[in-house]
């Protein structure tokens, strides 16, 4: 049986992957004749990524899941070090994207390619990151963690908050923001009027 914590991580990866794919499609299509809506939706997407995965998802991994895996699977140390570094770097990267987007919106076309190139780099970085977690860390965690480890993790994940630091308790506002982005993004990404 798949532990609840692993199920939650997979679920959050799926929601995040959907958001990243939408972001890629938006960037590939460009603003067209509706720049206002385009910048609005992109801004909301980057804000969501900054608020939700960067703070809640990464915290669960780096502070709750990775430490017991590190203790019981020393051969994963290199992979876990890299993932922890990615988590630290991701927050800076997504803030930088928000700045580059504003530069394009407020200063014009000359700043467009800097944003587009940075977004594509970020998407590749992030997809690679989740792939390493899904193909290496999660399967190994299922092998090496004990029933007691899972009971502790599941209890922490169930409230979707971090009992170690009591930071960032889950708030349904993130689900509402995710839905709102999907409702506003134009087809085929979302269901909003394009
Ligand atoms: Fe991660
Ligand atoms: Fe993750």
């Amino acid at each position: 049986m798949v532990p609840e914590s692993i199920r939650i991580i997979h679920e959050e990866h799926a929601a995040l992957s959907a958001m990243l794919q939408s972001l890629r499609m938006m960037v590939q299509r460009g603003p067209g004749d509706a720049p206002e809506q385009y910048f609005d939706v992109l801004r909301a997407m980057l804000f969501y990524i900054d608020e939700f995965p960067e703070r809640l998802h990464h915290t669960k991994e780096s502070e709750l899941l990775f430490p017991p895996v590190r203790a019981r699977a020393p051969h994963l140390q290199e992979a876990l070090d890299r993932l922890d570094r990615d988590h630290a770097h991701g927050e800076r990267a997504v803030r930088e994207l928000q700045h580059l987007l504003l530069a394009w919106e407020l200063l014009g076309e000359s700043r467009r390619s800097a944003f587009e190139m940075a977004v594509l780099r970020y998407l590749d970085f992030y997809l690679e990151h989740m792939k390493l977690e899904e193909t290496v860390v999660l399967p190994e965690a299922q092998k090496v963690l004990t029933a007691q480890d899972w009971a502790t993790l599941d209890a922490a994940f169930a409230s979707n908050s971090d009992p170690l630091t009591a930071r960032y308790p889950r708030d349904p506002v993130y689900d509402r923001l995710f839905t709102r982005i999907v409702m506003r993004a134009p087809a085929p990404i979302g269901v909003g009027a394009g």
Side-chain angles (χ1 to χ4, degrees):
M1 212 177 88
V2 179
E4 185 66 4
S5 320
I6 296 273
R7 196 186 58 73
I8 290 173
I9 293 222
H10 278 301
E11 247 176 48
E12 291 182 353
H13 281 185
L16 183 57
S17 295
M19 186 65 74
L20 296 177
Q21 272 176 30
S22 298
L23 185 55
R24 189 190 295 275
M25 285 173 87
M26 293 278 294
V27 169
Q28 281 167 348
R29 283 163 42 145
D33 54 5
E36 218 167 286
Q37 180 183 356
Y38 179 81
F39 285 111
D40 254 25
V41 174
L42 275 192
R43 212 185 299 110
M45 284 174 166
L46 293 178
F47 177 77
Y48 171 86
I49 293 169
D50 188 11
E51 284 280 321
F52 184 73
E54 291 298 345
R55 296 179 192 203
L56 288 168
H57 180 76
H58 293 172
T59 304
K60 285 205 288 287
E61 290 174 340
S62 276
E63 294 182 15
L64 298 174
L65 176 66
F66 292 176
V69 176
R70 203 182 272 280
R72 298 190 192 284
H75 62 284
L76 285 190
Q77 180 160 342
E78 210 175 300
L80 293 169
D81 284 350
R82 185 188 143 184
L83 293 169
D84 277 334
R85 271 198 309 275
D86 285 354
H87 289 165
H89 161 79
E91 188 168 338
R92 272 201 311 281
V94 77
R95 292 283 167 81
E96 175 71 7
L97 287 180
Q98 291 176 78
H99 179 82
L100 291 172
L101 179 68
L102 272 182
W104 174 18
E105 184 178 9
L106 300 176
L107 301 179
E109 276 300 295
S110 68
R111 304 294 284 269
R112 176 177 182 165
S113 68
F115 170 75
E116 289 178 341
M117 279 176 347
V119 157
L120 297 177
R121 263 201 315 273
Y122 178 80
L123 291 172
D124 290 342
F125 152 79
Y126 217 119
L127 293 172
E128 194 58 37
H129 174 90
M130 287 196 290
K131 196 168 139 201
L132 181 59
E133 288 173 344
E134 301 230 350
T135 58
V136 176
V137 175
L138 299 184
E140 192 65 15
Q142 283 192 256
K143 278 190 219 150
V144 298
L145 295 196
T146 64
Q148 182 55 46
D149 290 331
W150 288 118
T152 308
L153 274 175
D154 286 352
F157 275 47
S159 62
N160 214 348
S161 65
D162 178 355
L164 298 178
T165 61
R167 283 185 301 160
Y168 314 130
R170 180 180 176 79
D171 188 325
V173 76
Y174 293 116
D175 300 328
R176 289 204 297 275
L177 174 61
F178 183 84
T179 306
R180 186 169 148 223
I181 291 169
V182 172
M183 296 299 285
R184 289 163 71 216
I189 297 155
V191 297

